[in-house]
Amino acid sequence: MSNTQPAGNERFAIRGPFITFNNNPFSVGDENALVHEPDGLIIINNGTIEYAGAYSGGASRLEGCEVKSFPNHLITPGFIDTHVHYPQLPIIGAYGAQLIDWLNTYTFVAEQRYDDLEYAGQVSRIFLDELAQNGTTTAAVYCTVHPNSVEAFFQEAHARRLRMIAGKMLMDRNAPEALQDTAQSGYDDSLALLQKWHEKGRLSYAITPRFAPTSTEAQLEAAGALWKAHPSAYMQTHVSENKDEVEWVKELFPDRANYIDVYAHYGLTGPRALFGHAIYLEETEWHHLAETDSSVIHCPTSNTFLGSGFFNFQRALQPESASLAVRTGLATDVGGGTSLCMLKSMGEAYKVGQLSGYSVSAAKAFYLATRGAAKALHLDNKIGSIEAGMEADLVVLNPASTPLLEFRTQYCNSIEELLFVQMTLADDRAIDTVYSAGRVIKGA
C-alpha cells in the first residue's frame, strides 16, 4: 500500500482514527450518538464513501487501492457552515455597536461593490479558499442584492465542485437605494438565477429575503410564491437577532402575531427554511418552527460580538416534548461573526451555553457542525456523516497542531476530552487535509 494521494476521483482510501455520529446527542446522549473508530478505514470511490469502519473490517477490500495514512490525526466529517455572508469578508472584525448601527455603518457600504462581477469573483475566491483552510466543505451563503454577486459565487463554487447553497438578497426598503431591488425585479432575478444554478452539480439555490424589515409585504409575498413554485430550493433569512429589531418588526407588521408569523403568513416557513439567530423567539414561534420542520441557525461569535444575546439550546434541541425540538445548525455569520473557523464557533457555542445555563459538550458541538448542520439543511442523506453512501466530505485534524496543543493532548484521557481541547484551543492550523467529494481542497 502506498502513502500517495491519487489524483481525480478514482478509488482510494484513507486510514486513521475517525469520529462521526449515528444519532443526535441532544436527544439520545453523547455516548449513544458519538462513534469513534480508533483505527478507521474510509474507502472512497468516485467521490462517495464506499466503506467506513474499522480497518480490520475493511482491509480485505483494499486490493489495488492506494491508501493515505493519518495515524496521529483525527478524521471528522467536513464542517458545515449554515449561515454566512461572503460579501462581508472585507469588513470582518469591524468595530460596531449593535446590529442596526453595524449594518448601516459597515455592511450596507461594503455590499454596494458587488454589482462588479470581477470584484465579486475576487472575494468569492478568497472566501472559498478560507472555507477550505478552515475545513468547511458546505455553507449556506448570503450574497448581495446584485445578481452578479450570485453569478460570481456559483461560478467559483461550481468550478471547485463544492456542495454550496447561496442566493441573491431581496431588499426593497429600509436600505440604501443602491442596494434595493423591487418586488418584481427581485422575483425575476431570483427566478433566473434559480433556473440557472439550482441543482447544477452540487449547488442549490436559496431564496433570500435579508430580513422582514428590508422587504415590503409585496416582496415577501413574491418570495413565498417563488418558493411555492420551486419547493426543492431553500429559503434563508434572519429572525429575532436583536431586541430592537424585534420591536421594529412589530411596528412594520402590526397585523402579525410575532416575527415568525410574518414569514409564515407569506409562506416562508417549512422544510429547508433556514432562520438565522433565532434568539428572542416566543413559545408559539418555537412551536410553529417545529411543526413546519423549519430550521434555526446558531451564530455564536456574531451574537456575542454584536451583543445580540444568547441562543436557547434547551428550547431548540431538548424541549420538554421531543416532538417540539427544532432542526438546528451552527454558523459563523461572517462578517458579524469574527472567524470562518467552525472549531472556534464550536468553542464559542460552549461559552454561550455556559452563560445561559446549558452545557454544550464536545460531542454536541461537533454534531452541530456536522450531522446536525446537515440535518438542518435537509442534506443528512448526503453529507455530515462518515458512512457508506455519503459524499466524501472529510476533514483531517492534527490534534498537535501547535506546541501548546501538542503538550495538552498528552493529557487527554478520552476522545471527548480530545475533541473539547480542539474546539477550545485549536484554529485553522489544526486543519491538515480537507476532502470535498473525495477531492483534496486543502493539503497534500
Side-chain angles (χ1 to χ4, degrees), residues 99-111:
L99 175 65
I100 305 303
D101 293 330
W102 181 83
L103 285 172
N104 289 326
T105 304
Y106 300 109
T107 304
F108 288 158
V109 175
E111 290 186 359

Side-chain angles (χ1 to χ4, degrees), residues 200-219:
K200 181 175 182 177
R202 302 177 75 207
L203 306 177
S204 296
Y205 192 81
I207 299 159
T208 309
R210 181 179 219 118
F211 65 158
T214 50
S215 288
T216 60
E217 291 87 344
Q219 182 161 78

Side-chain angles (χ1 to χ4, degrees), residues 97-336:
Q98 293 213 335
L99 175 65
I100 305 303
D101 293 330
W102 181 83
L103 285 172
N104 289 326
T105 304
Y106 300 109
T107 304
F108 288 158
V109 175
E111 290 186 359
Q112 293 181 43
R113 297 191 63 181
Y114 287 85
D115 195 30
D116 182 336
L117 186 65
E118 183 177 347
Y119 178 75
Q122 174 192 350
V123 180
S124 293
R125 287 188 290 275
I126 295 170
F127 174 78
L128 290 170
D129 286 347
E130 285 298 311
L131 290 191
Q133 281 293 115
N134 285 284
T136 298
T137 51
T138 291
V141 180
Y142 285 67
C143 302
T144 70
V145 73
H146 312 100
N148 275 345
S149 70
V150 187
E151 281 287 338
F153 179 81
F154 273 144
Q155 286 175 15
E156 192 64 31
H158 186 63
R160 302 179 189 214
R161 302 183 215 173
L162 301 173
R163 180 165 289 287
M164 289 285 159
I165 301 162
K168 177 198 119 60
M169 198 87 77
L170 299 171
M171 292 199 296
D172 66 344
R173 67 169 172 176
N174 293 326
E177 188 174 346
L179 288 180
Q180 289 187 38
D181 53 12
T182 67
Q184 189 62 55
S185 71
Y187 180 97
D188 294 343
D189 289 343
S190 297
L191 176 60
L193 290 162
L194 187 157
Q195 290 175 331
K196 180 175 181 179
W197 292 108
H198 185 53
E199 298 181 341
K200 181 175 182 177
R202 302 177 75 207
L203 306 177
S204 296
Y205 192 81
I207 299 159
T208 309
R210 181 179 219 118
F211 65 158
T214 50
S215 288
T216 60
E217 291 87 344
Q219 182 161 78
L220 293 174
E221 184 175 2
L226 180 59
W227 196 27
K228 184 176 182 179
H230 300 275
S232 65
Y234 288 84
M235 194 295 300
Q236 61 180 358
T237 191
H238 300 75
V239 70
S240 297
E241 178 179 358
N242 174 283
K243 289 181 178 179
D244 290 341
E245 168 209 4
V246 174
E247 292 305 311
W248 193 18
V249 170
K250 289 179 180 177
E251 294 171 10
L252 292 170
F253 299 91
D255 295 335
R256 303 274 62 86
N258 49 53
Y259 204 154
I260 284 293
D261 187 47
V262 174
Y263 294 122
H265 180 75
Y266 295 104
L268 296 172
T269 59
R272 288 176 297 282
L274 313 174
F275 291 99
H277 303 285
I279 298 173
Y280 299 103
L281 295 179
E282 302 169 2
E283 184 57 31
T284 54
E285 295 176 286
W286 283 113
H287 270 261
H288 181 85
L289 292 169
E291 290 165 358
T292 57
D293 209 15
S294 303
S295 301
V296 296
I297 310 301
H298 176 39
C299 307
T301 69
S302 173
N303 294 344
T304 54
F305 184 70
L306 293 176
S308 299
F310 300 133
F311 182 75
N312 190 340
F313 289 98
Q314 182 78 46
R315 179 57 192 85
L317 291 151
Q318 282 189 297
E320 291 183 6
S321 170
S323 65
L324 294 177
V326 177
R327 294 175 187 252
T328 303
L330 189 65
T332 66
D333 191 31
V334 164

